[in-house]
Amino acid sequence: MASGKPTFKPYYQSQVMAIPPTLDELVAKGHPVRIVNDIVNRINIQGLLDAYHIKGTSSYHPQMLLKVLVYGYVSNVYSSRKLETACKENINLMWLSGMSYPDHNTINRFRGVRLKDALRSVFEEVVKLLAEEGLLSIEEVYTDGTKIEANANRYTFVWKKAIQTNKEKMKKALGEIWEYAQSIAKAEDNLPEPPDFTDISPKRVQDTVDTLNAVLAEKPHTSKEMKAKLKYVSREYPKKIAEYERKEAILGNRNSFSKTDTDATFMRMKEDHMQNGQLKAGYNVQISTSNQFIVNYTIHPNPTDTTTLQAHLEQHKASYGKTLETITADAGYGSEENYDLLEARNIEAYVKYGMFDKQQSEHYNTKQPFSADKLFYDPAQDCYICPMGQRMHYIGDGKRKTSTGFEQTSKRYQAKNCSGCPLNGACHKSQGNRIIEVNENLKRHKAIAYGLLNSEKGIEKRKQRCYDVEPVFGNIKQNHGFRRFMLRGKEKVAIEWGLLAIAQNIRKKAA
């Protein structure tokens, strides 16, 4: 058995060095912090410099603050307080900041105020720099969206449907009081005609309440119950209607918003940390990628991807001065409106529609054999042939508008006699003779999309979409732990996501 004392390496905590090492020597070569430093030094940040005023006290240099923020997002440090601490303790950030020590208020103000109008140009400069190096394409992209939870308190719902229901209750209550006033008023009172409550406003409610008070206040036979009801209506209804109008103005075309972040909409999240299936206030983040680099991003309050494409394409053109050449996306974008939009802009669209994946199955034709898209069409007679051989003739057009105001037109065809048909009930479930609707324009777009998606290039695009755009969201959420925005309001959320996008591109370049 060995004997003696253990041997340790020398440990001299107070050792004085003749030539102390510099911070640059302590930062590893090829470290991501050096890539952040190199990229920010190379891009044009004039838009950021323009955000500062000439007058006032001297500020920390915006280039340094931008480097600190970007590297914070690269290394999963999103909190301004943690960045303040890291600038004093983390060798990489001490080197990056040049031993400057901005406090959390300075960092937060820079992120929320100074970057508001400048971050988009910074992001675009980074993308252009990467494109010049041949790492990505600005013309050919893959597009997808994800929902990220907003920094909003729970149970702060404001629902459009609830407001409409409450307004209907108010209309009903006012109508009942008016009917009561008419029943006890004498002919000489000259009670005016009942007001139109189709669209109530604070002024209309106030005028109605004033009239009812004038009529019923002097009537000795007015019941105590009605007097109490009128008193409550007089006190509460005008201010409630004003509140409802304010909330409806915030809602716009949305169905809900959160009181603590009025730009956020309640939507169902895939990443449900509470595991209760509740709707959460959040934002729909849209990105376009190339080689897993983010080329474009937009923030939307609406939960569906379908209605986001136009604004997303317009942002791409505004950023780079030209439209896309090709776009690849999943069935969430395959609407008639989007196909029209892409066709008008001469963008080659590898965009699926709702039934595309099912049509690839060899069992597709055996399922739902009586659906409208499987019926034979006779172009000479402009009619469809039902499963029993009966002609279905054109009976007119049907029109409807989508939530965005886009008008869709469908041709309607009806069978002459479905009574006694042995397939009645299997062919269709409706009462009477079967009617089908055929959207010729959408049908044409689907045929074009089907051909593109099943071409050799289309198959390759479909495969690449799965490992180009989708892993970017997975990397940001799962690997880097960003599942909830820290800032509130759409403008600040856009800043936060812009920093994440820059960080993603730098991490990808470093890899």
Side-chain angles (χ1 to χ4, degrees):
M1 184 173 181
S3 61
K5 294 182 180 180
T7 304
F8 299 106
K9 292 182 179 180
Y11 172 56
Y12 306 113
Q13 190 176 6
S14 301
Q15 176 70 51
V16 178
M17 296 184 181
I19 305 176
T22 63
L23 287 175
D24 185 69
E25 291 174 306
L26 297 176
V27 176
K29 303 299 180 183
H31 194 279
V33 73
R34 292 190 180 274
I35 298 176
V36 171
N37 185 64
D38 177 58
I39 287 179
V40 175
N41 283 341
R42 290 167 62 190
I43 64 173
N44 180 5
I45 61 167
Q46 187 58 46
L48 180 56
L49 299 175
D50 292 341
Y52 285 79
H53 303 293
I54 296 175
K55 296 181 180 179
T57 58
S58 59
S59 305
Y60 284 107
H61 200 288
Q63 189 179 50
M64 181 272 292
L65 291 172
L66 179 62
K67 290 178 182 179
V68 167
L69 258 181
V70 169
Y71 181 68
Y73 277 75
V74 167
S75 54
N76 309 336
V77 182
Y78 309 119
S79 163
S80 58
R81 290 182 183 274
K82 289 182 179 179
L83 279 173
E84 175 188 357
T85 303
C87 283
K88 300 174 183 176
E89 299 177 353
N90 186 300
I91 290 175
N92 295 321
L93 277 166
M94 290 167 68
W95 171 78
L96 198 61
S97 66
M99 299 293 287
S100 297
Y101 306 120
D103 61 23
H104 66 274
N105 285 325
T106 301
I107 294 170
N108 220 25
R109 188 165 55 250
F110 176 78
R111 176 171 55 185
V113 179
R114 302 297 189 188
L115 286 178
K116 184 174 65 174
D117 299 319
L119 185 66
R120 173 67 68 169
S121 65
V122 172
F123 167 77
E124 291 162 4
E125 288 294 322
V126 172
V127 172
K128 291 173 185 175
L129 181 66
L130 296 172
E132 288 173 4
E133 295 180 4
L135 296 173
L136 59 86
S137 168
I138 293 176
E139 292 79 21
E140 297 187 15
V141 300
Y142 300 84
T143 299
D144 202 358
T146 193
K147 301 178 185 69
I148 295 183
E149 193 173 340
N151 181 8
N153 295 343
R154 288 181 291 168
Y155 312 122
T156 57
F157 309 91
V158 175
W159 296 100
K160 179 182 283 188
K161 190 174 181 179
I163 292 174
Q164 293 171 344
T165 300
N166 290 336
K167 287 172 75 172
E168 289 300 320
K169 290 179 179 178
M170 293 171 72
K171 293 177 187 179
K172 184 179 179 181
L174 287 170
E176 289 174 354
I177 299 175
W178 195 274
E179 287 178 6
Y180 179 83
Q182 284 181 316
S183 67
I184 68 170
K186 295 179 181 178
E188 60 269 16
D189 286 334
N190 294 321
L191 191 66
E193 288 294 318
D196 180 14
F197 293 128
T198 305
D199 184 23
I200 58 177
S201 64
K203 184 179 185 307
R204 183 168 293 176
V205 170
Q206 189 63 58
D207 291 345
T208 303
V209 166
D210 291 343
T211 303
L212 289 170
N213 276 318
V215 171
L216 296 178
E218 300 176 357
K219 301 299 178 185
H221 303 298
T222 303
S223 67
K224 290 183 179 181
E225 181 185 353
M226 193 56 65
K227 284 183 178 179
K229 195 171 185 178
L230 182 58
K231 184 178 179 181
Y232 175 80
V233 166
S234 303
R235 184 181 70 251
E236 299 293 335
Y237 277 20
K239 64 182 181 183
K240 278 186 176 293
I241 284 294
E243 179 188 348
Y244 292 153
E245 285 196 340
R246 179 184 63 81
K247 289 179 177 178
E248 285 176 328
I250 295 172
L251 280 166
N253 295 324
R254 294 181 292 160
N255 292 320
S256 65
F257 72 85
S258 169
K259 293 177 184 177
T260 47
D261 184 353
T262 56
D263 289 342
T265 306
F266 282 89
M267 52 187 77
R268 202 168 300 282
M269 305 285 176
K270 289 182 180 178
E271 296 81 19
D272 184 4
H273 65 273
M274 292 174 65
Q275 299 297 315
N276 58 6
Q278 287 185 347
L279 299 177
K280 310 288 193 306
Y283 292 91
N284 186 352
V285 179
Q286 297 288 308
I287 63 170
S288 290
T289 66
S290 174
N291 196 23
Q292 295 187 1
F293 290 95
I294 299 177
V295 176
N296 183 27
Y297 67 89
T298 49
I299 310 294
H300 305 266
N302 44 306
T304 57
D305 293 338
T306 313
T307 56
T308 63
L309 187 61
Q310 181 173 355
H312 193 70
L313 293 177
E314 287 171 356
Q315 178 61 61
H316 188 281
K317 186 173 182 180
S319 294
Y320 306 111
K322 53 187 175 182
T323 57
L324 291 167
E325 291 180 5
T326 68
I327 184 172
T328 307
D330 63 16
Y333 302 86
S335 68
E336 181 186 1
E337 181 177 5
N338 287 340
Y339 284 132
D340 273 359
L341 174 68
L342 293 165
E343 184 178 61
R345 300 191 180 188
N346 295 317
I347 299 173
E348 194 172 36
Y350 297 90
V351 179
K352 294 180 182 179
Y353 48 88
M355 294 294 292
F356 176 80
D357 285 332
K358 290 185 178 180
Q359 287 179 352
Q360 308 310 301
S361 169
E362 59 182 10
H363 302 295
Y364 172 71
N365 288 323
T366 62
K367 294 180 178 180
Q368 298 180 339
F370 306 130
S371 60
D373 63 319
K374 295 189 179 76
L375 300 182
F376 176 77
Y377 176 67
D378 182 355
Q381 300 292 324
D382 188 20
C383 69
Y384 282 83
I385 309 300
C386 84
M388 289 300 292
Q390 184 181 172
R391 293 181 181 275
M392 303 179 72
H393 292 285
Y394 171 71
I395 59 171
D397 289 342
K399 295 182 182 293
R400 74 178 191 89
K401 284 190 176 181
T402 65
S403 59
T404 60
F406 179 77
E407 188 174 86
Q408 295 178 316
T409 302
S410 298
K411 297 177 72 174
R412 304 175 79 239
Y413 297 83
Q414 185 177 30
K416 287 186 176 180
N417 184 16
C418 290
S419 61
C421 177
L423 295 178
N424 202 340
C427 177
H428 68 106
K429 304 293 183 183
S430 58
Q431 297 293 326
N433 297 329
R434 183 182 183 184
I435 296 176
I436 62 171
E437 293 190 0
V438 180
N439 187 328
E440 295 286 356
N441 187 41
L442 181 57
K443 186 178 176 181
R444 177 182 65 85
H445 282 308
K446 285 182 177 181
I448 295 171
Y450 186 88
L452 283 172
L453 289 164
N454 281 303
S455 66
E456 186 176 341
K457 183 179 179 181
I459 293 171
E460 186 60 35
K461 289 280 186 184
R462 284 157 51 194
K463 289 178 180 178
Q464 188 170 344
R465 189 194 70 81
C466 297
Y467 56 80
D468 199 298
V469 62
E470 292 180 1
V472 173
F473 286 131
N475 186 44
I476 291 172
K477 288 182 175 182
Q478 188 66 32
N479 297 339
H480 297 280
F482 193 92
R483 296 184 179 86
R484 192 170 190 256
F485 287 111
M486 298 178 64
L487 306 181
R488 291 178 175 175
K490 186 180 176 182
E491 281 189 345
K492 291 185 177 180
V493 162
I495 293 171
E496 201 166 2
W497 186 262
L499 288 167
L500 285 165
I502 294 171
Q504 163 66 20
N505 289 350
I506 290 175
R507 281 194 297 258
K508 180 65 180 173
K509 176 177 169 58

